[in-house]
Amino acid sequence: MIQKMALDGLDRLGEKVIEGFQLSDDDLRALLSLESEEELEKLNYAARKVRNYYFGNRVFLNCFIYFSTYCKNQCAFCYYNCKNEINRYRLTKEEIKETCKALKGAGFHMIDLTMGEDPYYYEDPDRFVELVQMVKEELGLPIMISPGVMDKATLLKARKKGANFFALYQETYDIELYGKLRIGQSFNGRVNARLFAKEQGYCVEDGILTGVGNDIESTILSLRGMETNDPDMVRVMTFLPQQGTPLEGFREKSNLSELKIISVLRLMFPKCLIPASLDLEGIDGMVYRLNAGANIVTSILPPDSRLEGVANYDRDLKERDRDIKSVIKRLESIGMEPAQQSEFEAVLGC
């Protein structure tokens, strides 16, 4: 009965959200249970209607610089966990500066400086702060930092040197599942780091994984958990088994698709940034995610880059279509366009 009540109003759901309607847990259960192609298209349409109301056909573009793939953590899902025997790199300051030179005037709205919890930077966090300052001086763009659970003093220093956004994904708010994914890491430590960053003037991003053993109730728990952060960006990513990790052989048949959850996120967080990541399916996948209600393209790589992403579907491909020119060309083909920098800064409130 609950599901039928929700579906009867699916055609008007977008308008209702614009008018201020907030989804109940029963509404979330109904939406996350949708399976038919017709129902899912109605859900996507409702999400696009909300997205277009607040952002029009404009899309934001985020350049991804994974500058160190060293990490001290043992996340069961992550290719870069410290137990995985893989080739790693740590860009020098000179290499990062050269990358910045290649990015000048390219049309990015924000630069995402990402690393694993690299002991080199955790032993001397000022090294990380110096990188933030250098990139800010080189490009003058908003900077997102994704350094893991950095201490409060370092977050404060990075903020003063030009960092605008702090990304730290919980992956799940199901504490039992969290323990299986982020082995040996404090659940509350991640939550508190985001809350502290928000208090200090950062915009914050939270994110969850799907396809890792989470059912509808677990997913609702995570969606509600993200609400407690007052986030500026919310993301969901599909778990992609990574070679050499504890979950390398994990496969799950689930109807909790990333696209469905993106649409639900748009209805829950109407004014937030929601990523269309290139990490899983490249530019074709970007289009699917935008059609589900996303409005910022992430994991765009510098030109001719061999830098890593988060879950690279194209790690072994010779040709990679993750540059900004290819992204903009595809956006224009579907009637969308990059936003003005002023529009992005209005979203940031900076």
Side-chain angles (χ1 to χ4, degrees):
M1 179 64 67
I2 290 171
Q3 183 172 345
K4 185 69 170 71
M5 286 169 59
L7 293 181
D8 284 345
L10 196 56
D11 287 329
R12 279 205 69 251
L13 188 53
E15 289 93 334
K16 288 176 65 178
V17 168
I18 292 168
E19 292 166 1
F21 176 76
Q22 296 183 339
L23 299 173
S24 68
D25 284 1
D26 282 342
D27 293 325
L28 293 177
R29 288 186 186 95
L31 296 176
L32 293 172
S33 299
L34 299 179
E35 293 186 355
S36 77
E37 185 175 340
E38 180 182 4
E39 291 168 338
L40 291 173
E41 178 48 41
K42 286 184 178 182
L43 175 62
N44 294 162
Y45 175 78
R48 290 196 302 273
K49 192 173 190 68
V50 174
R51 191 264 321 275
N52 293 345
Y53 178 82
Y54 288 105
F55 299 98
N57 70 335
R58 270 93 64 203
V59 179
F60 306 109
L61 306 174
N62 192 12
C63 182
F64 190 77
I65 303 178
Y66 209 140
F67 64 91
S68 175
T69 59
Y70 287 88
C71 190
K72 61 184 177 68
N73 291 330
Q74 301 181 44
C75 298
F77 59 91
C78 184
Y79 182 68
Y80 309 106
N81 82 69
C82 65
K83 299 294 186 181
N84 204 5
E85 297 181 0
I86 59 175
N87 293 323
R88 300 177 189 268
Y89 66 80
R90 181 186 298 120
L91 297 184
T92 65
K93 288 177 66 175
E94 291 71 26
E95 288 171 326
I96 295 173
K97 184 174 286 190
E98 286 301 311
T99 299
C100 289
K101 290 179 180 178
L103 299 176
K104 286 184 178 178
F108 290 106
H109 297 99
M110 182 163 65
I111 306 298
D112 182 353
L113 293 176
T114 296
M115 68 174 188
E117 293 195 359
D118 184 350
Y120 174 81
Y121 289 103
Y122 273 68
E123 290 166 3
D124 185 356
D126 284 344
R127 292 168 173 162
F128 174 70
V129 175
E130 289 171 6
L131 289 185
V132 172
Q133 181 178 8
M134 181 185 72
V135 173
K136 192 72 171 186
E137 290 174 352
E138 287 289 325
L139 293 171
L141 292 172
I143 293 177
M144 170 181 276
I145 57 171
S146 308
V149 186
M150 277 278 186
D151 63 276
K152 292 181 178 180
T154 303
L155 288 177
L156 284 172
K157 289 178 183 178
R159 180 79 182 109
K160 290 178 181 177
K161 295 299 183 181
N164 306 87
F165 231 110
F166 179 59
L168 188 70
Y169 311 144
Q170 199 73 15
E171 312 303 352
T172 178
Y173 282 79
D174 179 332
I175 293 179
E176 182 179 353
L177 180 57
Y178 178 92
K180 296 176 181 177
L181 297 177
R182 291 197 171 276
I183 298 169
Q185 298 174 55
S186 168
F187 180 93
N188 288 330
R190 295 185 82 79
V191 172
N192 291 335
R194 272 190 306 275
L195 293 176
F196 175 78
K198 186 76 176 180
E199 290 170 357
Q200 302 309 314
Y202 279 95
C203 294
V204 297
E205 181 187 15
D206 195 1
I208 60 175
L209 273 176
T210 188
V212 282
N214 42 344
D215 58 15
I216 286 178
E217 294 306 313
S218 174
T219 301
I220 292 173
L221 188 65
S222 293
L223 293 171
R224 293 304 186 197
M226 284 199 287
E227 281 185 319
T228 65
N229 297 294
D230 187 21
D232 303 276
M233 188 184 308
V234 286
R235 82 158 60 206
V236 57
M237 283 192 70
T238 302
F239 167 67
L240 181 67
Q242 298 289 323
Q243 185 176 356
T245 65
L247 294 180
E248 176 181 0
F250 184 84
R251 298 290 188 280
E252 179 182 67
K253 290 184 178 179
S254 170
N255 71 340
L256 291 171
S257 73
E258 180 178 333
L259 299 180
K260 185 193 300 186
I261 297 175
I262 285 175
S263 289
V264 171
L265 285 173
R266 177 54 66 203
L267 298 173
M268 289 183 68
F269 302 93
K271 300 178 184 179
C272 279
L273 298 170
I274 299 178
S277 174
L278 301 179
D279 255 323
L280 295 172
E281 299 175 295
I283 288 183
D284 288 340
M286 173 193 78
V287 174
Y288 304 145
R289 288 158 177 79
L290 290 173
N291 284 338
N295 66 329
I296 179 168
V297 183
T298 63
S299 289
I300 306 174
L301 297 181
D304 302 318
S305 176
R306 301 309 302 176
L307 295 181
E308 291 283 284
V310 175
N312 303 279
Y313 76 99
D314 58 350
R315 180 175 287 118
D316 298 320
L317 298 180
K318 292 182 179 179
E319 297 292 331
R320 305 172 88 187
D321 62 348
R322 293 169 66 172
D323 62 283
I324 189 168
K325 289 183 179 179
S326 298
V327 167
I328 292 175
K329 183 177 180 181
R330 180 62 72 89
L331 287 176
E332 291 172 345
S333 75
I334 61 172
M336 304 194 81
E337 63 183 22
Q340 297 295 315
Q341 187 67 28
S342 59
E343 294 177 280
F344 185 68
E345 291 180 359
V347 171
L348 290 185
C350 57

